[in-house]
Each structure stands twice: as structure tokens, then as C-alpha cells.
Amino acid sequence: MTTDDATILIVEDEPPIRRLLRATLAAHDYRTLEAETGAQALAALRHHKPDLVLLDLGLPDIDGQALIGRIRELSPVPIVVLSSRGEETAKVAALDAGADDYVTKPFGAAELMARLRTALRHRLAQQGAERGFTSDDLSIDLVRRVVRRGSEDVKLSPKEYDLLEQLAIHAGKVLTHKHLLREVWRNESVDPQYLRVYVRQLRQKVEADPSAPRHVLTEPGVGYRLV
Ligand code: CA
């Protein structure tokens, strides 16, 4: 599978939005499958093995977060969630349940395509058991635990490294505050302000311009992602 000839399962109960998604994806040479309910989505997943699931959180038969849990029991398939504006809590819950990313309705085709490509690439990188991350001037060797910016070694504190490691393992994916606090501090109830301080320190070391970060990006109200 490359990111270009992927099959995408559209799970959406509203026919006009489903039609729009089908047309947009077809115009970008994706193959599509469609489901109107959670039950149909699980059946399609079992029988057709799509490369990505595009999932509306408001379905008639099952809560979106519960459906993500059921999908995760069956498959590591990337899940991009479609949510409505103002559904911040639902978005965070969906990411914590195992979704890879989200797009807020109404969405633009360019944004949707970019999110799908990132999620598909993220999965390919994981399948290839990539043991590092490289983008422009930043390289992270997860085996040797070495971080370089350009030709310079970057010295990180153990917590800064753990934070960057989590972001690198899931490069491209939005990691929620809760995920990072759980994985780096082993404690989800730590004040997210603490995380903000470490992200700021990390940017001082890995970004060419820490005030305009190009690698460690903020997803407002949700979390962070490495690109
Ligand atoms: Ca809906």
C-alpha cells in the first residue's frame, strides 16, 4: 500500500456529507467504502480491511468513542474523526480512545486530504518499524537515543527526551495532554501547565526559531504533534 491507492471506509449517517466525502476522495483517486452505522462500519472492517477509517462521531446506533474502542479490538487501522465545531471534549476523548487525528466540520478538501495522507504515512512508518524520525534539520535516533539539530548534538534532560520520544514514536499523530502525561510522567492528573513548560524547554533546544515552531506543534486545547 502506498498513500495514493488506499481504500477509505467512510462512516457517516448523513447522506449529503457522505456524498461529499465520496466525491472528494474519488477525485483524489482513493477507493471508498461506506457505512451509515457503527454496526455497518464494524462489518465493513471485518470483510474489506480498509486502509483508513473516516469516522463521524455522531452516529445513530453507537457512541463514537465506544465505536473507536471496538474498531481497535479488531484492527490498528488509522482512524480520522469528523467532529463538529465546539466538540472539543469529544475530540479529545476520541484521540484518547485510539483515533489518529480529527477534522472539524465544515472542512476544506485540502485540509481533509492532508490529514488523511499524514495518518496513512504514520501507519506506513510504523509498519516499517522505523526506529527514528528525520525532518529537515531535526533527527531523532530512538535506538541510540541521540537527537541532532543540523550537525549539532542536542542535549536533553531525561524528561525532555521522554517527551520527544513519545512525539517521535507517534510522529504526525496528535497526542493529547492526557496521553503525554500518562506516558512521560506516568500520571494523568499532573497539571497540563507542567507539560507546557517542558514543551517550551524542548522547543528552545530543537527548533531553529522556538517562537515559531516547525516540528513540535500545538493543537490548541487538545495536545501536541511532531511533524
Ligand atoms: Ca452524524
Side-chain angles (χ1 to χ4, degrees), residues 11-14 17 56-60 84 105:
V11 187
E12 167 65 75
D13 59 323
E14 288 170 62
I17 301 181
D56 170 38
L57 282 182
L59 292 174
S84 303
K105 295 187 219 176

Side-chain angles (χ1 to χ4, degrees), residues 38-48 74:
Q40 285 181 7
L42 291 169
L45 201 62
R46 284 199 188 89
H47 295 119
H48 301 292
L74 293 175

Side-chain angles (χ1 to χ4, degrees), residues 203-215:
R203 282 178 176 151
Q204 295 291 341
K205 297 183 179 179
V206 303
E207 299 282 357
D209 179 359
S211 62
R214 289 170 50 231
H215 298 300

Side-chain angles (χ1 to χ4, degrees), residues 98-141:
D100 290 67
D101 207 343
Y102 60 83
V103 178
T104 306
K105 295 187 219 176
F107 48 82
E111 189 204 354
L112 177 66
M113 290 306 131
R115 300 273 170 146
L116 296 184
R117 272 195 304 272
T118 303
L120 287 165
R121 265 204 304 266
H122 172 229
R123 191 61 56 178
L124 283 176
Q126 283 200 323
Q127 284 170 348
E130 233 174 81
R131 299 305 296 147
F133 170 89
T134 305
S135 175
D136 296 337
D137 56 337
L138 179 64
S139 74
I140 306 163
D141 182 333

Side-chain angles (χ1 to χ4, degrees), residues 18-140:
R18 220 167 47 236
R19 268 200 300 278
L20 172 67
L21 289 169
R22 184 202 306 144
T24 309
L25 293 172
H28 289 81
D29 296 329
Y30 289 105
R31 286 189 293 265
T32 57
L33 299 165
E34 293 175 35
E36 296 175 37
T37 63
Q40 285 181 7
L42 291 169
L45 201 62
R46 284 199 188 89
H47 295 119
H48 301 292
K49 308 251 181 296
D51 299 303
L52 184 142
V53 178
L54 190 53
L55 175 68
D56 170 38
L57 282 182
L59 292 174
D61 62 334
I62 182 170
D63 163 69
Q65 200 185 340
L67 180 58
I68 292 168
R70 299 280 300 279
I71 293 173
R72 279 288 164 262
E73 287 169 12
L74 293 175
S75 159
V77 66
I79 302 171
V80 175
V81 159
L82 295 168
S83 71
S84 303
R85 236 168 257 295
E87 287 185 337
E88 297 303 321
T89 320
K91 250 168 12 193
V92 172
L95 291 166
D96 277 328
D100 290 67
D101 207 343
Y102 60 83
V103 178
T104 306
K105 295 187 219 176
F107 48 82
E111 189 204 354
L112 177 66
M113 290 306 131
R115 300 273 170 146
L116 296 184
R117 272 195 304 272
T118 303
L120 287 165
R121 265 204 304 266
H122 172 229
R123 191 61 56 178
L124 283 176
Q126 283 200 323
Q127 284 170 348
E130 233 174 81
R131 299 305 296 147
F133 170 89
T134 305
S135 175
D136 296 337
D137 56 337
L138 179 64
S139 74
I140 306 163

